[in-house]
Amino acid sequence: MEKCAAKNGKRGGGLPETTQNACLEALTRDQGEVTRVLSIQSHVVSGYAGNKCAIFPLQIHGFEVDFINSVQFSNHTAYKHITGQRLTETELSELFEGLKLNEIDHYSHVLTGYCGNPTFLLKIVDIVTAVKKKNPGLLFVCDPVLGDNGSYYTPKELMPIYRDKLIPMADVLTPNVFELQEITGRKIESEADCLEAIREMHRKGVKIVVVTSGMFDSAEKKIMHCYASVKEGEDEFQQYRFEIPVLHGRFVGTGDVFASLLVVWIHTYNNDIVKAVSNVISSIHGLLARTIKHAYGDNSPESFTPSAAQAELRLIQSRVDLLAPSIPVNYSKLS
C-alpha cells in the first residue's frame, strides 16, 4: 500500500492505474485484524442516505459493522413523500443493553451521523461513554449533522448537546462550514475564520478535524475547499487545504460516504491525514462522476433537472472507486 502515498504539497490520494489491481488485492485480503464499527445514523429503505451510505464502503474494506438506525424512512427527503419511523431513546437503550448483556459491545470505532431528537442524542452520549470505557483505544468519528447552506434541517436543540457533550468526546470531527459556524458561534467568511474555528474544536479535545464542504476559492465556486487539521500539541497543529472540483448537481448522502471512508483510510494509514483525506475525496469524486453520468445521461445540466430517483448515488456501481481511488487530489500544507 505504500504506492498509495501522497507527495507533500503536490498531489495525494488516488492510485496510478498500474497499482490499482495490487491495492484491490491488498484491501480484500483477510488481514486477521478485528475492526468493528458501531454506526448510529439514519436509514432509508430505497436509495442512499445515512447508514445505507456508510455500511457498504466500510464492509468492502473489511470492517465489521453493527448499525443502529436513528430513523427508518421509505426514502430520503429529496422525494415528494416520506414515510417511516423514528427510533426512541428508550428503544436505543434496549438495543444497547442487549449488546452489553451478551458481551458483544466491544468496538474499535464508533461513527455517528443524523439524529433528529435531543433525548436520543443524549443517549448516544451515554453509549459512546460506555464503549470508550470498555476500549480506551476506540476511535470515535462524529459527524455533527445539523444542516447546510445556511439553515438547519435538524432541531436546533441538538447543537448545544453536540457542542458541550458529544464533541469533547470525539477523536475525529467532520462538520461542514455551516455546522462548524453554529457549534463555535463564529462567523466563517474566510479561510482564516475557518482555521480559527477548527482550532477551537481542537481546544475542546478533538484530535482530528475535517471540514468537509462549504468553503470556495472564489465567487465562481468552481473549486470547493476541504480543510483537515491534526492537533500535535498545545496550540500546535498540522493543517491542510484540499481542492475539490465542483461538479454539477445536488446529491444526497455524500457526507455520509465521506465520514465512513474517513474511518477506513485513517485506520489504514495510521492517522496520516493527508493520505486519508486525499483518498476520501478521490473516491467521492469518482462516485459523483458516475452518479452524474447516470442522472443526466445525454441531457444538458443547464436545461435538465433529474428526479430524486435518477439522482440517487451510484454507490454499488462505484465500488472500485471506493476501494481503489484513482483521481489525483491537489492539496497544500497551511501550517
Side-chain angles (χ1 to χ4, degrees), residues 155-223:
K156 290 185 178 181
E157 292 80 7
L158 295 179
M159 189 280 290
I161 300 173
Y162 275 117
R163 182 192 62 203
D164 300 333
K165 295 184 179 294
L166 204 58
I167 287 174
M169 303 170 65
D171 301 291
V172 182
L173 188 69
T174 62
N176 58 40
V177 166
F178 171 77
E179 291 160 346
L180 183 61
Q181 182 172 270
E182 292 299 301
I183 290 165
T184 60
R186 292 175 173 271
K187 191 79 171 173
I188 299 178
E189 297 179 329
S190 66
E191 181 174 282
D193 294 336
C194 186
L195 295 177
E196 182 52 40
I198 289 171
R199 294 185 191 108
E200 186 170 326
M201 293 297 93
H202 284 314
R203 295 182 191 110
K204 281 185 171 289
V206 183
K207 171 72 173 177
I208 297 173
V209 180
V210 180
V211 180
T212 59
S213 62
M215 293 292 291
F216 297 89
D217 67 333
S218 66
E220 287 77 22
K221 295 186 175 181
K222 293 184 178 180
I223 298 291

Side-chain angles (χ1 to χ4, degrees), residues 313-333:
L313 293 179
R314 303 290 283 175
L315 195 70
I316 307 303
Q317 295 80 1
S318 301
R319 56 195 178 276
V320 173
D321 302 294
L322 303 178
L323 273 171
S326 60
I327 299 170
V329 174
N330 294 326
Y331 74 93
S332 301
K333 189 173 187 299

Side-chain angles (χ1 to χ4, degrees), residues 27 38 68 99 113 120 124 126 155 159 175 178 201 214 262 286 301 313:
L27 288 167
L38 176 61
I68 298 175
L99 299 175
F120 190 93
I124 290 177
D126 294 341
M159 189 280 290
F178 171 77
M201 293 297 93
L262 193 60
L313 293 179

Side-chain angles (χ1 to χ4, degrees), residues 98-253:
L99 299 175
K100 289 195 298 183
L101 290 173
N102 288 295
E103 298 184 357
I104 48 176
D105 57 334
H106 188 90
Y107 296 97
S108 58
H109 300 76
V110 171
L111 173 62
T112 61
Y114 176 85
C115 166
N117 183 299
T119 55
F120 190 93
L121 188 59
L122 286 170
K123 183 52 62 177
I124 290 177
V125 172
D126 294 341
I127 289 173
V128 173
T129 300
V131 294
K132 270 184 166 276
K133 183 177 181 181
K134 189 156 191 173
N135 177 17
L138 176 145
L139 189 80
F140 172 34
V141 179
C142 175
D143 186 3
V145 179
L146 295 171
D148 202 0
N149 298 313
S151 62
Y152 280 81
Y153 48 72
T154 62
K156 290 185 178 181
E157 292 80 7
L158 295 179
M159 189 280 290
I161 300 173
Y162 275 117
R163 182 192 62 203
D164 300 333
K165 295 184 179 294
L166 204 58
I167 287 174
M169 303 170 65
D171 301 291
V172 182
L173 188 69
T174 62
N176 58 40
V177 166
F178 171 77
E179 291 160 346
L180 183 61
Q181 182 172 270
E182 292 299 301
I183 290 165
T184 60
R186 292 175 173 271
K187 191 79 171 173
I188 299 178
E189 297 179 329
S190 66
E191 181 174 282
D193 294 336
C194 186
L195 295 177
E196 182 52 40
I198 289 171
R199 294 185 191 108
E200 186 170 326
M201 293 297 93
H202 284 314
R203 295 182 191 110
K204 281 185 171 289
V206 183
K207 171 72 173 177
I208 297 173
V209 180
V210 180
V211 180
T212 59
S213 62
M215 293 292 291
F216 297 89
D217 67 333
S218 66
E220 287 77 22
K221 295 186 175 181
K222 293 184 178 180
I223 298 291
M224 185 165 60
H225 290 157
C226 167
Y227 294 92
S229 181
V230 180
K231 183 176 182 179
E232 297 289 349
E234 191 67 29
D235 284 327
E236 294 182 12
F237 315 102
Q238 295 287 334
Q239 297 186 310
Y240 303 87
R241 180 205 307 121
F242 298 81
E243 294 184 3
I244 307 174
V246 175
L247 301 177
H248 189 85
R250 294 177 65 85
F251 304 96
V252 175

Side-chain angles (χ1 to χ4, degrees), residues 41 49-50 52-55 57-58 61 111-112 141-144 172-176 208-214 224-229 242-244 252-266 273-285 287-288 313 315 322 329:
Q41 302 191 58
K52 197 79 173 288
C53 286
I55 295 166
L58 287 163
H61 277 279
L111 173 62
T112 61
V141 179
C142 175
D143 186 3
V172 182
L173 188 69
T174 62
N176 58 40
I208 297 173
V209 180
V210 180
V211 180
T212 59
S213 62
M224 185 165 60
H225 290 157
C226 167
Y227 294 92
S229 181
F242 298 81
E243 294 184 3
I244 307 174
V252 175
T254 54
D256 305 318
V257 179
F258 191 110
S260 68
L261 286 174
L262 193 60
V263 171
V264 168
W265 293 115
I266 283 178
I273 200 63
V274 170
K275 294 180 184 179
V277 174
S278 293
N279 272 14
V280 172
I281 293 172
S282 182
S283 287
I284 296 292
H285 190 98
L287 167 63
L288 285 178
L313 293 179
L315 195 70
L322 303 178
V329 174

Side-chain angles (χ1 to χ4, degrees), residues 25-40:
E25 181 183 351
L27 288 167
T28 54
R29 188 182 306 127
D30 183 1
Q31 299 176 359
E33 182 181 9
V34 176
T35 48
R36 190 158 168 244
V37 182
L38 176 61
S39 180
I40 307 176

